[in-house]
Amino acid sequence: MLLRRLLCCAVPLLGALLFCMLVAAPVLAQPWSSPLAAPDADGRLTYAPDADGFVLPDFSHAGYRGGLVPLPDVPTVVTVAPGPGDDTNRIQAAMDEAGARPLGADGFRGAVQLAAGTYDIAGQLWLQHGGVVLRGAGSGDDPATASILRVTGNEPAQRILLRVGARRNTLWGGEVSGTRTAVTSERIPIGARSFTVADASALSVGDNLILVHPSTQTWLDAIDGGGVDLDPAWAPGDDDIVFNRIVTALDGNRVTVDVPVFYTLDRRRSESYVYVHNRNNLVTQVGVEQLRIDIQPGDAIEDHAWIGVNLVTVEDAWVRDVAVKGYGGSAIRTRTTTRATITNSQALDPLAQIAGERMYGFNLDVASQHVLVRDSYASNGRHHYATVGGALTSGNVFLDNRSEGALFASEPHRRWSMGILYDNHRELSAPVIDSRLLWIGNRGDFGEAHGWSAAHSVAWNVDLGAGWLLCQQPPTAQNYSIGTDAAFVIHDGPSVPYAGAACYEEGTNRAGTLEPRSLYLAQLDDRRRAVSTEATPETAALEVEVFPNPVVQVATVRLMVPTAAEARVSVYDVLGRRVAALHDGPLAAGAHALSWTPNRASAGVYVLVAEVDGQRTTQRLSVVR
């Protein structure tokens, strides 16, 4: 692409247009696909390993409810209008009022609707109740059509403006006693969803399972101590790899989980283990939408609110059509967040010193997994689209986003982030300070010995304009540049701070159409079709999946019914008493979703029984408070 641009500029004006068309036309006429993920005649992806035997990760589970469920439209239950003086308490009271309502059958309590106008906010807001949505009238800058939070003051200093979720960042602690067991598979390859354990007797389908690969000295030696240069090598125990999963099947001591792993777990380097997470403090089914946050500057450059929206210890959450302007740390940040969607949002013009830990637009921080950021825009920040959470962060997707005025690269930022996809990322302006506008590799001594910040991460069909992609292969893993338009795709040389081997590179500066256009959307479509196919086979058995389990607020019961039949789905307590009737009557063949809200059920063990056309299946449930 760069060569064509230069040639076009060098041709006399009268012939320039014709020349550019002749140069570009042959390339544009030839769609191409990577053998690593190529569509077959039916449009489904076929995968091939690279020269090192690695396959592209499956990113399709990113997003709210794993990507297969659209963002809900939750009915309004409380309305708020701007008032005189500080509006902080007025909005907080409305959120608390909505949070005190019972959960409905859909798993929601309701939405707080902010009328159009300007709200003065001198304090902090906390959306702490699951099933509640904070919704404005729009995210533009006109108070006649938007809900604008005008954020003033610096008390407490550099505060989070809107916290969504729990007060504690749990990092999936809360191990259920007696459930820890060693992984006995010698190798769990990237892309695998099943493995064996020493004793699965304490596990159940639906359990929230945490898979841990300790960062032993043997593993650290295999990755060159983390890839640092002058800084001390990474220390054992500092960067354990952790995957947050749901058990979908058990066969003896073989466990199958919902989402593949994003890195090969080799028992020779580290003996992994699993445990069941109790899901305490987890907040689910929450959203923020159609809102603008304008942070006002203080007396000094950093004397103002620091983070616009902070998701912490949440699951199945979303931020939709939210603009944050004037932040110092992050516009939107996630921590201990699983299956969330951030869409049609903006991170605008941060105000801070140009230094570390500042000016991140969309910051997927520690323990962020399966988060989707799409159709969003960031301007004039340091790292517009970044994962900062290290080895606890994986399976995240940046799709169809735009970046303008970036001071430094969008990137997996530190210490072994895995499975990060930049899909159709676009840089809209030339580099401002650093030509590296996307970096997937070794950050060496930068920050706190960030070292190898990316493994099995992908740049797919990105356009960096005059910027560079720095893409390197880490030891024991791979990174990918497929269909990158950039001034340069580099891995070594005088402009590279920390050397590394070349990543897998294909289709650089080819202006033709890469098929599929989006890797994430193609993988999601494959998964959607697989679910549809599984729903109606003539000889299929009844399938039941309950999620989440343990149940905190509401459980979704997913049934795959092979043929139309009468169905009875119930919940019983340990004494055999029927405490809930979820369905009594006919069900069509296919997939169905039922909800159970255990408002009156005490904490403890229950049994779900599904009976359809003579087939009967049971599943143990746990209710926690």
Side-chain angles (χ1 to χ4, degrees):
M1 176 177 282
L2 180 64
L3 178 59
R4 288 200 310 276
R5 289 171 180 166
L6 293 174
L7 288 171
C8 289
C9 293
V11 175
L13 181 61
L14 292 178
L17 179 59
L18 177 60
F19 181 84
C20 290
M21 291 175 62
L22 291 173
V23 170
V27 178
L28 290 172
Q30 299 178 13
W32 63 282
S33 298
S34 169
L36 271 58
D40 63 14
D42 294 326
R44 289 179 169 85
L45 293 181
T46 59
Y47 297 89
D50 63 19
D52 294 311
F54 297 118
V55 296
L56 285 177
D58 176 7
F59 297 99
S60 68
H61 295 265
Y64 172 77
R65 299 286 297 274
L68 291 178
V69 177
L71 298 183
D73 293 317
V74 179
T76 298
V77 295
V78 184
T79 59
V80 181
D86 184 8
D87 290 296
T88 305
N89 291 338
R90 186 176 294 108
I91 296 174
Q92 186 63 55
M95 292 192 296
D96 292 342
E97 179 183 343
R101 295 171 60 90
L103 285 166
D106 61 355
F108 291 98
R109 306 177 198 274
V112 174
Q113 179 68 59
L114 303 185
T118 299
Y119 298 77
D120 287 320
I121 307 294
Q124 293 177 281
L125 299 169
W126 183 14
L127 177 53
Q128 60 180 308
H129 301 285
V132 176
V133 174
L134 178 62
R135 178 189 301 130
S139 62
D141 57 7
D142 182 355
T145 57
S147 300
I148 303 173
L149 304 187
R150 183 178 180 274
V151 184
T152 59
N154 192 33
E155 291 291 335
Q158 297 185 345
R159 69 191 187 273
I160 296 169
L161 185 277
L162 174 57
R163 181 190 302 272
V164 180
R167 186 177 296 277
R168 294 180 56 242
N169 183 22
T170 63
L171 304 179
W172 305 305
E175 179 177 340
V176 176
S177 178
T179 63
R180 182 181 291 207
T181 183
V183 172
T184 56
S185 294
E186 290 300 319
R187 190 170 179 269
I188 308 176
I190 178 174
R193 293 198 303 121
S194 65
F195 49 88
T196 58
V197 297
D199 181 6
S201 61
L203 308 181
S204 298
V205 171
D207 280 346
N208 191 164
L209 198 71
I210 307 301
L211 170 58
V212 182
H213 171 280
S215 52
T216 63
Q217 187 62 55
T218 302
W219 176 67
L220 292 173
D221 290 344
I223 63 168
D224 294 341
V228 293
D229 184 16
L230 300 178
D231 282 352
W234 297 355
D238 285 351
D239 297 282
D240 294 352
I241 293 172
V242 179
F243 294 122
N244 181 24
R245 298 292 186 265
I246 301 295
V247 178
T248 58
L250 290 168
D251 182 6
N253 286 329
R254 176 161 291 278
V255 180
T256 301
V257 294
D258 57 337
V259 183
V261 297
F262 290 97
Y263 178 66
T264 297
L265 306 184
D266 190 329
R267 198 162 182 261
R268 297 171 302 172
R269 295 172 180 152
S270 176
E271 296 187 3
S272 300
Y273 62 90
V274 300
Y275 63 84
V276 175
H277 177 218
N278 62 19
R279 298 174 64 86
N280 289 349
N281 302 303
L282 186 65
V283 177
T284 65
Q285 301 279 42
V286 286
V288 180
E289 53 191 31
Q290 299 172 10
L291 194 66
R292 185 179 185 89
I293 298 172
D294 277 351
I295 299 173
Q296 306 301 301
D299 294 335
I301 189 172
E302 295 188 344
D303 290 348
H304 56 78
W306 206 240
I307 295 172
V309 181
N310 189 64
L311 276 62
V312 58
T313 311
V314 299
E315 182 179 82
D316 293 325
W318 72 90
V319 178
R320 171 169 51 185
D321 188 19
V322 171
V324 181
K325 183 177 182 179
Y327 63 93
S330 302
I332 300 173
R333 184 176 72 177
T334 63
R335 287 182 163 180
T336 310
T337 294
T338 309
R339 293 196 310 271
T341 294
I342 301 167
T343 184
N344 290 295
S345 293
Q346 300 177 67
L348 304 172
D349 305 337
L351 180 61
Q353 300 178 58
I354 300 176
E357 301 182 0
R358 290 163 172 79
M359 303 168 72
Y360 299 94
F362 299 88
N363 178 2
L364 309 187
D365 207 334
V366 62
S368 295
Q369 295 192 5
H370 320 144
V371 178
L372 170 65
V373 181
R374 68 176 301 178
D375 298 315
S376 293
Y377 172 83
S379 63
N380 303 319
R382 289 179 63 246
H383 303 292
H384 283 161
Y385 300 93
T387 61
V388 185
L392 276 71
T393 300
S394 61
N396 299 313
V397 175
F398 297 99
L399 170 66
D400 284 325
N401 297 306
R402 295 156 296 142
S403 168
E404 192 165 16
L407 304 181
F408 298 99
S410 290
E411 60 194 10
H413 189 65
R414 63 184 300 275
R415 293 190 173 229
W416 213 258
S417 293
M418 294 158 291
I420 311 302
L421 172 62
Y422 289 88
D423 192 335
N424 284 268
H425 175 83
R426 297 289 181 264
E427 292 288 341
L428 303 181
S429 61
V432 176
I433 293 178
D434 193 319
S435 293
R436 297 176 291 263
L437 292 186
L438 185 58
W439 191 337
I440 303 176
N442 184 11
R443 299 192 75 246
D445 298 340
F446 284 2
E448 299 172 349
H450 288 176
W452 283 108
S453 62
H456 294 300
S457 296
V458 182
W460 181 277
N461 205 23
V462 305
D463 185 353
L464 303 181
W468 301 0
L469 167 62
L470 201 167
C471 188
Q472 300 163 310
Q473 178 181 10
T476 75
Q478 182 60 282
N479 290 312
Y480 302 85
S481 168
I482 301 176
T484 298
D485 279 349
F488 298 100
V489 176
I490 56 177
H491 74 277
D492 206 346
S495 60
V496 177
Y498 300 98
C503 72
Y504 178 95
E505 181 183 349
E506 181 183 6
T508 299
N509 284 329
R510 292 181 60 181
T513 303
L514 172 60
E515 294 184 350
R517 180 194 75 85
S518 164
L519 179 59
Y520 167 77
L521 292 178
Q523 291 178 328
L524 184 65
D525 186 59
D526 279 357
R527 196 165 128 246
R528 183 178 288 113
R529 288 196 280 184
V531 170
S532 176
T533 300
E534 291 169 2
T536 56
E538 294 181 0
T539 60
L542 169 67
E543 296 183 16
V544 177
E545 178 183 359
V546 181
F547 181 78
N549 188 12
V551 183
V552 181
Q553 295 168 330
V554 62
T556 297
V557 179
R558 178 175 170 268
L559 295 99
M560 306 294 283
V561 179
T563 59
E566 290 291 316
R568 177 181 171 93
V569 184
S570 309
V571 178
Y572 295 86
D573 64 17
V574 293
L575 299 178
R577 297 174 297 193
R578 192 185 191 201
V579 298
L582 306 188
H583 186 86
D584 278 305
L587 277 179
H592 301 272
L594 307 174
S595 294
W596 179 44
T597 305
N599 285 334
R600 299 180 181 179
S602 59
V605 176
Y606 297 82
V607 178
L608 175 83
V609 179
E611 300 170 283
V612 181
D613 195 26
Q615 297 188 57
R616 187 175 190 270
T617 185
T618 64
Q619 189 168 136
R620 187 183 71 179
L621 306 176
S622 297
V623 173
V624 296
R625 297 300 188 189

